[in-house]
Amino acid sequence: RQGIGLRKLGKTADEFQQDLLSNLYYRRGTTVESASARDAYETLSLTVRDRLAERRARTAAAHYASNPRWVYYLSAEYLLGAQLEQNLLYSGTGNLAAEAVKALGFSLEDLEDLDVEPGLGNGGLGRLAACLVDSLATRDIPAVGYGIRYDLGIFRQIITENGQTELPDDWAFQGNPWEFPAPDDRQTVGFYGHTEPVPGSPDRKVWVPGEIVLGEPSHMLVPGYGTDTVNIVRLWSAKASEASFDLSRFSAGQYAEAVQEAVRAENISKVLYPDDSTELGRELRLKQQYFLVSCSLRDIIRRFRLRNEDWSEFADKTVIQLNDTHPTIAIPELMRLLVDEYELDWSKAWEITRKTFAYTCHTLLPEALETWPVRLIEKLLPRHLEIIYVINMLFLREVGAQFPGDQDRIRRMSIIQEEPERRVRMAHLAVVGTEAVNGVAELHSKLLRETVLDDFADLWPAKFQNVTNGISPRRFIRIANPRLSDLITEGLGDDSWLRDLEKLAGLESLIGDASFRDRWQSIKRANKVALAAGDPDSLTDVMIKRFHEYKRQQLKLLHVVTLYQRIHANPAGDWVPRTVLFAGKAAPAYHAAKDLIQLIATVGATIAADPVASPYLKVVFPSNYNVTLAEKIIPAADLSEQISLAGKEASGTGNMKLALNGAVTIGTLDGANIEIRARVGEDNFFLFGLDAYEAAQARINGYQPRAFYEHDAELRAAIDALGSGAFGDVGHRVASSLLGWDEYLTLADYRAYLDAQAQVEEAWRDRDRWIRMSILNTAHSGFFSSDRTVADYAARIWRVAPVPVPHED
Ligand SMILES: CCc1ccc([C@H](C)CC(=O)N[C@@H]2O[C@H](CO)[C@@H](O)[C@H](O)[C@H]2O)cc1
């Protein structure tokens, strides 16, 4: 089939216009006269997609020819963001498109507003996956991201004074021009049923599933920036097997029953679980995880066998990164496929499996570490439980050999938790069945070795690594902040910094140039005007992230209430005008987090209606925080709130995006804050609070939140105000939880936080000093590019090399 020539897609304005019109007529089936904005958006998307698909064809050919080592990223979540602006940038067709759609009577901005954001993730983990696949392509590394194509993504959030309400997010109800359904690559997935022995081979079993569903893939193109590589993200959606429609029931008028089977099947990829820190142990969630894993492993093996026969090369040609424990069932699934279906002997299969997988842990919260009831796995995946038992038996034999007689260690390390209920510890299985385990920031990786996984670090110290997170500079400054990007490109002489972010350090040499500083400041102000959240000359103080008590939005709220009370105590004071912007969703079942959202909304409304305070203080809370809203807020931020209790935020990535866009961080020694502070300089970071070890010690020493309440008048006044009833029961609930257990030492860090905020205001008043701090934050954020993160994974975990895709003019 080689050599069937493809007509090249034109590069001139006319040729682009022609392609746009032909897509309007032939693929959209309408005319210029009757084209709606939707028609124009779909047509433009297809025209841009074609140019990426042309590069995709060349990429696939180059990858096929070089039979490379592949990186497969298995993730239950991807927060890819809106696609049009990104694909216009990566295909270099922005100007052509602007001209072409004008002829149809539309502006690019109009059409970008119609762009869908596939909300197939909750927060940090999902967005990191998107930044990493972007950087894998930009670094020309052959890779496929595998995920689930949820029909309903993360819920749409409505915020009223009654707090958060959730609405379903049917993100693709108008279709999605950026995906390619590939029904011919369907896979079959089994559930339930039983296993039967195979005469003559004790290792092998036949699994007889009780239920079969189909996995249909559709892929989205993942172009590299400034290179011809175009990788894909392949998302699976569950379909009922033809046989599932029960015609006899239908003709008997039992319509619901007739389609019952089909509904059950399609429910598997119906909706994303909106929890990002507490495992709920729902059967459907485990079905989703196995569905993703089974489809993806079969697709990976299909691609391997296209170019390779010998299984012993599988681990040389394949590395599979597990994005947290969510896809960990992949380990026993690969064993099942190799032993039961491809008849490899156990030890050979195990050797291949361990070498193929790597595991990234994204949390330290015990409640976020998934464990599945043995009885549930036994029911849903009977063969996998058998395999897990064998893996565990061989593993504990190794532990026993290394630590003879240490029964307690055996009990602690076992993949099976025995008490109070028999459960499978997915993190333990992930560590046992992988070649490498990494945390996502230096402190996090250190704490993993010292606490949650300490026994495993004792046994396999070399297995534990750190790879500090990163973010895509294309989306989070070039697309989000074009004004600042243009100034940086002008200052540095070209835009090569977008592929080599450490070049931003060159900005330091421009800091002495007053006109450069003025332009820097006016761009920040223009971004604030565009956001229209508050007074553009006020200090824009931003806290944008999922709501969780460990992230301590409650501490920010206490600060707001104290500012409010201070202004009331001295209305004529020389107050720094401040706009406090909150944004973020709470898991629907996480009531304490939803209380915080409601309380912040109520306090914000109270301040807005208060003639004394409102001239100086404003609380804004835009609803439905997502990637697109983040791109609007981040360029307008002056102060970045990273105030989690030290030792709780694995890394954070919002902290990196905000620093890159010139916001100065106020934060604790937690996650990647530590590495940001180390690089931007201690003078350009407002540090406060207990560090991770002091925080742990405070709890051991019997932390008494009430003591802080009694010894700090302002703290007492703020908490009393919240609990006064002025803000209803929700205020009372929040106040009493802070005075009761205060799990995340909010009161212990209050005074230090207020002192740091006083330093912020002092610095803010010195505009020149603040602008210098802002420029230095951007200048020294180069390390936090996801290109560097991918380079670290590639060098230390994936051991892969780029495969260049020949450029064709
Ligand atoms: C079982 C429910 C569940 C779902 C998602 C998760 C994720 C691991 C939560 C998450 O998004 N973690 C965040 O991952 C980011 C990327 O590494 C880090 O920067 C954040 O610090 C971490 O909270 C835990 C538990």
Side-chain angles (χ1 to χ4, degrees), residues 191-468:
F191 293 103
Y192 308 108
H194 65 277
T195 66
E196 294 166 355
V198 176
S201 45
D203 283 355
R204 296 181 51 214
K205 286 284 188 71
V206 174
W207 175 27
V208 185
E211 179 182 301
I212 297 284
V213 306
L214 298 177
E216 180 172 304
S218 73
H219 61 263
M220 292 180 66
L221 303 180
V222 180
Y225 180 76
T227 181
D228 282 67
T229 296
V230 173
N231 285 336
I232 61 170
V233 164
R234 185 153 253 203
L235 304 173
W236 300 96
S237 47
K239 298 269 184 274
S241 56
E242 284 80 14
S244 70
F245 184 81
D246 189 328
L247 208 52
S248 60
R249 279 174 183 262
F250 186 83
S251 32
Q254 297 167 339
Y255 304 125
E257 290 79 7
V259 295
Q260 197 174 354
E261 186 63 24
V263 169
R264 253 174 79 77
E266 279 145 24
N267 266 349
I268 292 171
S269 58
K270 182 61 68 185
V271 62
L272 166 78
Y273 272 87
D275 320 288
D276 78 329
S277 62
T278 310
E279 59 115 1
L280 295 173
R282 297 273 189 285
E283 178 168 337
L284 182 59
R285 168 117 174 149
L286 181 56
K287 281 184 100 172
Q288 287 184 341
Q289 295 180 351
Y290 179 65
F291 172 75
L292 163 63
V293 156
S294 175
C295 295
S296 304
L297 281 177
R298 288 199 182 280
D299 199 56
I300 289 169
I301 288 172
R302 176 188 60 76
R303 189 174 292 101
F304 170 73
R305 289 164 72 84
L306 276 179
R307 299 288 270 105
N308 309 278
E309 280 83 46
D310 184 352
W311 282 111
S312 60
E313 289 184 337
F314 184 79
D316 303 328
K317 295 288 183 184
T318 313
V319 58
I320 303 177
Q321 191 69 36
L322 304 176
N323 200 19
D324 214 90
T325 57
H326 312 151
T328 299
I329 200 74
I331 293 166
E333 172 66 1
L334 183 58
M335 283 302 287
R336 184 185 73 81
L337 293 166
L338 295 178
V339 172
D340 292 353
E341 295 196 10
Y342 296 106
E343 302 184 17
L344 275 67
D345 70 44
W346 181 276
S347 57
K348 177 87 181 146
W350 184 238
E351 189 208 333
I352 291 171
T353 297
R354 279 187 102 170
K355 274 180 64 180
T356 296
F357 288 107
Y359 158 51
T360 300
C361 173
H362 295 267
T363 186
L364 282 166
L365 303 179
E367 68 268 26
L369 297 173
E370 293 182 300
T371 62
W372 290 106
V374 164
R375 62 178 163 64
L376 178 56
I377 299 217
E378 187 164 36
K379 183 178 80 174
L380 192 67
L381 302 167
R383 180 55 180 146
H384 298 77
L385 186 63
E386 293 169 359
I387 292 170
I388 291 170
Y389 280 155
V390 177
I391 292 172
N392 196 36
M393 181 263 290
L394 296 169
F395 162 59
L396 294 180
R397 198 183 288 165
E398 187 177 342
V399 174
Q402 191 93 356
F403 304 94
D406 189 339
Q407 282 315 312
D408 190 45
R409 183 183 293 267
I410 296 273
R411 185 190 51 70
R412 288 198 313 267
M413 297 183 78
S414 175
I415 294 170
I416 309 296
Q417 168 195 305
E418 300 298 339
E419 303 300 328
E421 179 198 16
R422 302 194 70 230
R423 299 177 74 92
V424 176
R425 296 162 167 157
M426 300 312 273
H428 291 202
L429 176 57
V431 175
V432 170
T434 60
E435 180 93 333
V437 174
N438 76 283
V440 289
E442 284 170 9
L443 175 65
H444 177 230
S445 300
K446 188 167 182 290
L447 292 172
L448 277 180
R449 284 195 301 271
E450 293 170 355
T451 61
V452 192
L453 300 173
D454 56 347
D455 290 324
F456 294 91
D458 290 351
L459 183 63
W460 298 310
K463 186 178 277 196
F464 287 80
Q465 308 223 20
N466 173 58
V467 181
T468 296

